[in-house]
Amino acid sequence: MSDKLDGLVNSTADLVTELSRLSLDWRVTAVPFGDLTVGERVVSDLPFVTTERDGHQLLRTLPRFGGGSNTGESSPDAMLSALGKPYRRDAVKIVVLLTDEPGLQSAQVTVQHVTDALRSAELICFVAPPNLPYFRKWATDNG
């Protein structure tokens, strides 16, 4: 799994490099996540950064989680955390979800909660997940 994560970090770092070449007022952050059911966490307090150097540093030092030996990770919780970050008022908001596991749900956080939150947040959502209906809905309704 480490080689997959390295590939994702490198691809995302390339995106930060491209952003830095454009004449845009951009910021980027991340919300790494694991499986809450096995004691891992969603890291929602990482800062927004505005330079290529800081963006690469942020990405290369993200916490990494093992996910446990079960199927699923807490991507719905991470999505809600990402939507709750302090975006600038008039910013074009883009959320990118990268995961290789189905989303774990609880009574408090379901994929429908995320679907509703995405709709009300009026942002663009890109998803690179397993081929599951709710992930497709998040992308097609908001991407």
Side-chain angles (χ1 to χ4, degrees):
M1 182 64 182
S2 182
D3 58 330
K4 288 182 184 178
L5 290 173
D6 289 340
L8 288 173
V9 166
N10 289 336
S11 295
T12 309
D14 290 345
L15 173 64
V16 168
T17 297
E18 290 302 314
L19 283 172
S20 71
R21 291 181 182 153
L22 301 172
S23 297
L24 298 173
D25 181 16
W26 61 272
R27 302 185 320 161
V28 67
T29 188
V31 180
F33 62 93
D35 179 349
L36 295 174
T37 67
V38 298
E40 295 178 338
R41 64 191 196 283
V42 173
V43 181
S44 59
D45 61 351
L46 295 178
F48 282 93
V49 296
T50 59
T51 68
E52 180 180 5
R53 184 183 64 80
D54 290 346
H56 287 187
Q57 177 69 18
L58 174 81
L59 294 168
R60 299 205 189 291
T61 59
L62 291 174
R64 295 185 178 200
F65 303 102
S69 59
N70 61 340
T71 299
E73 291 182 343
S74 299
S75 55
D77 295 86
M79 288 292 286
L80 292 178
S81 291
L83 294 175
K85 295 205 57 106
Y87 295 97
R88 293 182 295 195
R89 186 169 178 232
D90 295 326
V92 174
K93 298 174 283 257
I94 300 172
V95 175
V96 180
L97 172 63
L98 306 171
T99 184
D100 63 350
E101 292 279 339
L104 293 173
Q105 301 181 74
S106 66
Q108 296 78 27
V109 178
T110 67
V111 295
Q112 187 60 50
H113 288 122
V114 176
T115 301
D116 296 343
L118 283 168
R119 186 176 306 115
S120 67
E122 297 181 352
L123 55 74
I124 300 167
C125 179
F126 295 100
V127 185
N131 187 16
L132 295 168
Y134 54 90
F135 286 139
R136 284 194 309 275
K137 181 166 183 54
W138 294 355
T140 58
D141 288 0
N142 305 285

